[in-house]
Amino acid sequence: MGEFTTTIEHRLDQAYKNLQEARSTGDEYLADTLTAEIEDLRRLATDNGVPLQR
């Protein structure tokens, strides 16, 4: 697994964890921001042929 793939996976894991926390605390702005980040990371992964678990 390359460094790019590892970085994308790590950033996605962190974003999903932070999203769960934002939702549990009711922080809608942060949840929206993290959702956009997740979408961007998933698109970046797809565009570069990185297979995703989630």
Side-chain angles (χ1 to χ4, degrees):
M1 183 179 325
E3 185 175 340
F4 179 76
T5 300
T6 301
T7 300
I8 292 292
E9 289 176 347
H10 176 73
R11 288 185 60 192
L12 276 169
D13 285 343
Q14 285 304 118
Y16 278 115
K17 288 175 188 174
N18 292 339
L19 177 59
Q20 184 178 18
E21 185 176 331
R23 285 180 174 162
S24 70
T25 61
D27 189 338
E28 293 298 321
Y29 177 76
L30 182 56
D32 289 345
T33 301
L34 290 165
T35 298
E37 179 181 358
I38 289 167
E39 290 170 356
D40 289 344
L41 288 168
R42 292 183 66 80
R43 184 174 42 257
L44 183 62
T46 299
D47 289 350
N48 288 282
V50 176
L52 298 175
Q53 301 284 329
R54 296 184 190 204

